[in-house]
Amino acid sequence: MSSRVRPGWMEKPKPVTQAAKALALVAVVLLVCVPFLVIVSTSLASTDEVVENGGWVLWPTEPSLDAYRDILDGGIVTHALGVSAGVTIVGTLLSLACTITLAYALSRPGVFGGRPVLLLVLFTFLFPPGMIPSFLLVKELGLLDSYASLVLPVLVNVFNLVVLRGFFQGIPEELYEAARLDGAGDWRVLWSVVLPLSKAALAVVGLFYAVAYWNSWFYASLYLESDHWPLQQVLRTYVIAGSGLTDATTGEGTVTAPQTVQMAVLVIATVPILLVYPFLQKYFTKGVLTGAIKS
């Protein structure tokens, strides 16, 4: 069994250096995990325990799900959770469909008008529209107070488009030619050749879109009335901005402390993305770097 040979230019690490690296790693982990632990613990703590500890609990002695029952008991948070889930799912699927088809068209040489369209898309990336022009456009299209206003203005992200276009260009041209010789058209080539080879890039781009839709609150504050707000706008209004939590927000029979309810809302808004991210993390390096380098 051969031991690993250290390169000549790499000196042997000193114990002090290894200890410093370990301490730095532990410090970073604590800085990330302790605040999240406090949030989860406070959301599970009883009202009396929250009051005794001044609003924050590091480890609840008697964990309780009362806060989660309150906010999921038919109030604004329950409705906002459904809105966010619907907008995220529908918006991600539509954005992926539009981005894939446009990226494939722009990746193929000789497409009529391909270069002007690409330059036009890149122009919008360099010079994005302002808030007032965007609001006036949404208003003129009749999308105010409509969930479509959260999806259509941001349907295609230029960065994601460039990544997918570069990835499609990296597919060997021989595969395209072989599919053409078999009589496949553009849609068949896209569905049977390009998409199966682009799972890594599609997973990363899909996650980018899903996170953007799930975390979006700014457009909701501009275009939607309060009874149509997604979860992130509710989170911003009732937790970050410090507005009071009422029975209309949490459902009937609220008996928990406001801090507990606020932390429960924060946990519900954070956990879905934390659950999805580990399954797609392995695609990040292959999907993003390959598409970006080849674009």
Side-chain angles (χ1 to χ4, degrees), residues 17-64:
T17 303
Q18 292 180 325
K21 291 180 179 179
L23 290 176
L25 181 61
V26 171
V28 172
V29 171
L30 291 177
L31 288 174
V32 174
C33 293
V34 171
F36 190 73
L37 176 62
V38 171
I39 292 172
V40 176
S41 299
T42 304
S43 69
L44 296 174
S46 62
T47 301
D48 295 337
E49 193 171 8
V50 171
V51 174
E52 292 176 0
N53 290 274
W56 300 99
V57 178
L58 182 60
W59 193 264
T61 56
E62 298 180 359
S64 172

Side-chain angles (χ1 to χ4, degrees), residues 99 118 120-126 156-164 209:
T99 305
L118 178 61
L120 181 62
V121 171
L122 295 177
F123 180 84
T124 63
F125 181 70
L126 298 175
V156 175
N157 181 275
V158 178
F159 174 78
N160 295 335
L161 175 67
V162 171
V163 169
L164 276 187
Y209 276 126

Side-chain angles (χ1 to χ4, degrees), residues 12-169:
K12 185 177 181 180
K14 300 178 181 179
V16 177
T17 303
Q18 292 180 325
K21 291 180 179 179
L23 290 176
L25 181 61
V26 171
V28 172
V29 171
L30 291 177
L31 288 174
V32 174
C33 293
V34 171
F36 190 73
L37 176 62
V38 171
I39 292 172
V40 176
S41 299
T42 304
S43 69
L44 296 174
S46 62
T47 301
D48 295 337
E49 193 171 8
V50 171
V51 174
E52 292 176 0
N53 290 274
W56 300 99
V57 178
L58 182 60
W59 193 264
T61 56
E62 298 180 359
S64 172
L65 296 177
D66 290 339
Y68 295 93
R69 294 191 187 99
D70 288 337
I71 63 179
L72 298 176
D73 194 26
I76 292 178
V77 175
T78 307
H79 180 264
L81 181 60
V83 171
S84 291
V87 170
T88 300
I89 294 173
V90 175
T92 301
L93 293 177
L94 290 177
S95 293
L96 275 177
C98 295
T99 305
I100 289 171
T101 52
L102 183 57
Y104 174 73
L106 296 178
S107 67
R108 306 312 304 141
V111 174
F112 177 76
R115 185 170 182 79
V117 172
L118 178 61
L119 294 177
L120 181 62
V121 171
L122 295 177
F123 180 84
T124 63
F125 181 70
L126 298 175
F127 302 97
M131 181 174 62
I132 294 179
S134 299
F135 179 84
L136 294 177
L137 178 61
V138 171
K139 180 180 179 181
E140 291 299 323
L141 293 176
L143 299 179
L144 287 181
D145 203 24
S146 169
Y147 296 133
S149 62
L150 303 181
V151 176
L152 295 182
V154 291
L155 192 60
V156 175
N157 181 275
V158 178
F159 174 78
N160 295 335
L161 175 67
V162 171
V163 169
L164 276 187
R165 175 178 176 269
F167 199 95
F168 293 164
Q169 287 178 327

